[in-house]
């Protein structure tokens, strides 16, 4: 897992200086650990639960040395994140992937990167510009389609997103596409509209492309910390979410948000964005993440 340098410096260096700086496991020790984990955006719920487990282990195993707490903590975080191995079924079957996210989180960039990655894997990919609210969004997606060398199905600004999806499904079938990636809206301030829009899109797919495997991915900006968690919860109310694309991990010391997302929402992070270039998207594995963080 690349892009974790800042997070590692923040959380892990912080933790390690606590483990080496304290000579006894006391209340101050736990308080400093708590602060470090929360500052790293591990989430309050997860932090509290991890610390409870640590206290229990310290008591039961008669741990006296703070440095012995390190492995206990790592194991506990690993367990909290464990949602089983990530499945990428859409890479193996005819699929429709809906991508949702508010402006600026890196949605368009992530779609471009994903298209490029799937194409490099030998897949035939089509993009659908179903976020029709802004002309700039359609234009930007078109640029990414060119960059990745995949087809784009678009209509003009303000057209019905469901109509774009309808066209895109027809194109996916006639061109024998493996993966249809749909850029959809993410206007959370109007959740009712968003919900209706996604429902309508899903109904079209149910009807026109029932055989397709489906994913609905939410794009979250890793630098926004706990706000990302709030956004994810709101999207979960609007549609059944199957995974997260967590962007801008390269620019943040708050990569602990990946722990919070998996442990508190129970939704797998499927990809992480680690830069602005087309190949800066990585598949996510929580096991690798914990290993890379605490190497
Ligand atoms: P959208 O409005 O959600 O479609 O966001 P964009 O895809 O236009 O991205 C917004 C900005 O974030 C752009 O400047 C991207 O280059 C940048 N960006 C997207 N993903 C990443 C990432 O993983 N790392 C970094 N450093 N920047 C990113």
């Amino acid at each position: 897992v690349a892009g974790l340098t800042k997070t590692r410096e923040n959380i892990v260096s912080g933790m390690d200086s606590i483990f080496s700086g304290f000579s006894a496991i006391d209340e101050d020790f736990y308080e400093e650990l708590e602060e470090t984990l929360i500052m790293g955006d591990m989430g309050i719920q997860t932090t509290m639960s991890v610390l409870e487990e640590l206290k229990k282990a310290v008591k039961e195993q008669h741990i006296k040395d703070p440095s012995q707490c390190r492995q206990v903590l790592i194991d506990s975080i690993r367990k909290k994140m464990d949602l089983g191995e990530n499945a990428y079924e859409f890479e193996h079957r005819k699929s429709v992937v809906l991508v949702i996210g508010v402006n600026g989180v890196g949605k368009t960039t992530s779609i471009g990167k994903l298209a490029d990655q799937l194409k490099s894997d030998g897949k035939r990919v089509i993009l659908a510009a179903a976020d029709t609210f802004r002309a700039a969004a359609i234009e930007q997606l078109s640029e990414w389609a060119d960059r990745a060398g995949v087809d784009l199905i678009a209509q003009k600004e303000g057209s019905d997103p469901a109509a774009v999806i309808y066209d895109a499904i027809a194109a996916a079938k006639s061109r024998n596409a493996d993966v249809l990636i749909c850029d959809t809206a993410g206007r959370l301030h109007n959740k009712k509209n968003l919900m209706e829009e996604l429902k309508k899109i899903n109904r079209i797919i149910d009807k026109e492309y029932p055989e397709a495997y489906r994913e609905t991915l939410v794009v979250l900006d890793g630098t926004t910390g706990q706000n990302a968690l709030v956004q994810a919860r709101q999207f979960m109310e609007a549609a059944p979410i199957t995974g997260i694309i967590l962007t801008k991990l390269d620019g943040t010391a708050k990569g602990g948000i990946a722990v919070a997302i998996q442990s508190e929402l129970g939704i797998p992070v499927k990809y992480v964005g680690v830069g602005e270039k087309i190949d800066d998207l990585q598949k996510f594995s929580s096991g690798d993440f914990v290993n890379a963080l605490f190497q």
Side-chain angles (χ1 to χ4, degrees):
V1 187
L4 279 179
T5 316
K6 288 184 184 167
T7 299
R8 199 182 301 128
E9 279 167 9
N10 182 25
I11 306 181
V12 183
S13 304
M15 274 175 46
D16 285 343
S17 67
I18 296 170
F19 293 138
S20 59
F22 276 82
S23 52
I25 301 170
D26 54 17
E27 269 313 304
D28 283 353
F29 169 80
Y30 286 123
E31 249 172 52
E32 290 230 358
L33 262 186
E34 180 183 323
E35 200 178 306
T36 303
L37 296 178
I38 287 176
M39 290 298 285
D41 264 319
M42 212 79 97
I44 292 184
Q45 208 177 303
T46 310
T47 299
M48 291 311 174
S49 166
V50 161
L51 287 178
E52 273 317 304
E53 282 177 21
L54 177 62
K55 285 178 187 173
K56 194 159 163 261
V58 164
K59 209 162 147 197
E60 286 175 4
Q61 297 166 35
H62 308 290
I63 297 173
K64 295 273 181 293
D65 185 352
S67 68
Q68 282 176 282
C69 294
R70 190 179 200 270
Q71 197 55 47
V72 179
L73 205 73
I74 294 171
D75 291 344
S76 175
I77 291 171
R78 192 188 303 276
K79 215 167 64 203
K80 291 262 171 295
M81 284 188 89
D82 188 17
L83 300 172
E85 270 313 295
N86 255 340
Y88 295 90
E89 279 184 62
F90 67 95
E91 296 183 2
H92 307 291
R93 296 166 53 188
K94 298 283 181 199
S95 303
V96 180
V97 181
L98 300 185
V99 185
I100 317 177
V102 302
N103 278 345
V105 291
K107 183 173 58 139
T108 317
T109 307
S110 298
I111 291 172
K113 291 169 174 176
L114 181 59
D116 181 68
Q117 194 171 105
L118 292 169
K119 194 186 174 207
S120 303
D121 288 346
K123 305 289 171 212
R124 198 182 289 260
V125 180
I126 293 182
L127 302 186
D131 184 355
T132 58
F133 197 64
R134 291 179 309 139
I138 301 172
E139 181 52 38
Q140 212 193 340
L141 192 69
S142 160
E143 283 166 19
W144 275 104
D146 288 345
R147 235 170 267 162
V150 302
D151 291 350
L152 172 80
I153 304 300
Q155 294 179 7
K156 62 181 188 310
E157 179 189 0
S159 55
D160 181 358
V164 177
I165 299 291
Y166 187 90
D167 277 0
I169 290 171
K173 286 180 177 173
S174 69
R175 299 176 202 176
N176 195 27
D178 298 298
V179 188
L180 172 61
I181 308 176
C182 309
D183 184 14
T184 63
R187 285 175 289 282
L188 270 174
H189 57 270
N190 201 336
K191 205 164 8 172
K192 193 160 172 292
N193 280 8
L194 175 67
M195 216 181 284
E196 288 308 316
E197 189 171 312
L198 293 172
K199 266 196 193 137
K200 198 168 160 195
I201 287 174
N202 276 318
R203 270 200 304 270
I204 300 271
I205 306 169
D206 286 343
K207 186 155 174 283
E208 302 298 326
Y209 207 10
E211 68 274 30
Y213 173 77
R214 311 263 277 273
E215 286 269 356
T216 302
L217 305 179
V218 167
V219 183
L220 300 173
D221 179 339
T223 65
T224 61
Q226 296 304 301
N227 268 337
L229 216 56
V230 173
Q231 264 174 31
R233 286 207 166 91
Q234 289 178 314
F235 279 120
M236 285 165 78
E237 288 168 18
I241 307 304
T242 59
I244 303 288
I245 300 177
L246 187 60
T247 63
K248 310 185 194 181
L249 269 199
D250 53 305
T252 183
K254 293 166 167 279
I257 192 67
V259 181
I261 289 169
Q262 295 213 163
S263 75
E264 295 183 21
L265 305 180
I267 292 184
V269 175
K270 297 229 160 168
Y271 290 93
V272 289
V274 295
E276 297 188 273
K277 295 194 305 296
I278 200 160
D279 53 359
D280 288 329
L281 185 78
Q282 298 182 345
K283 280 184 183 173
F284 184 83
S285 134
S286 55
D288 291 349
F289 175 81
V290 175
N291 288 345
L293 201 56
F294 298 100
Q295 63 187 205

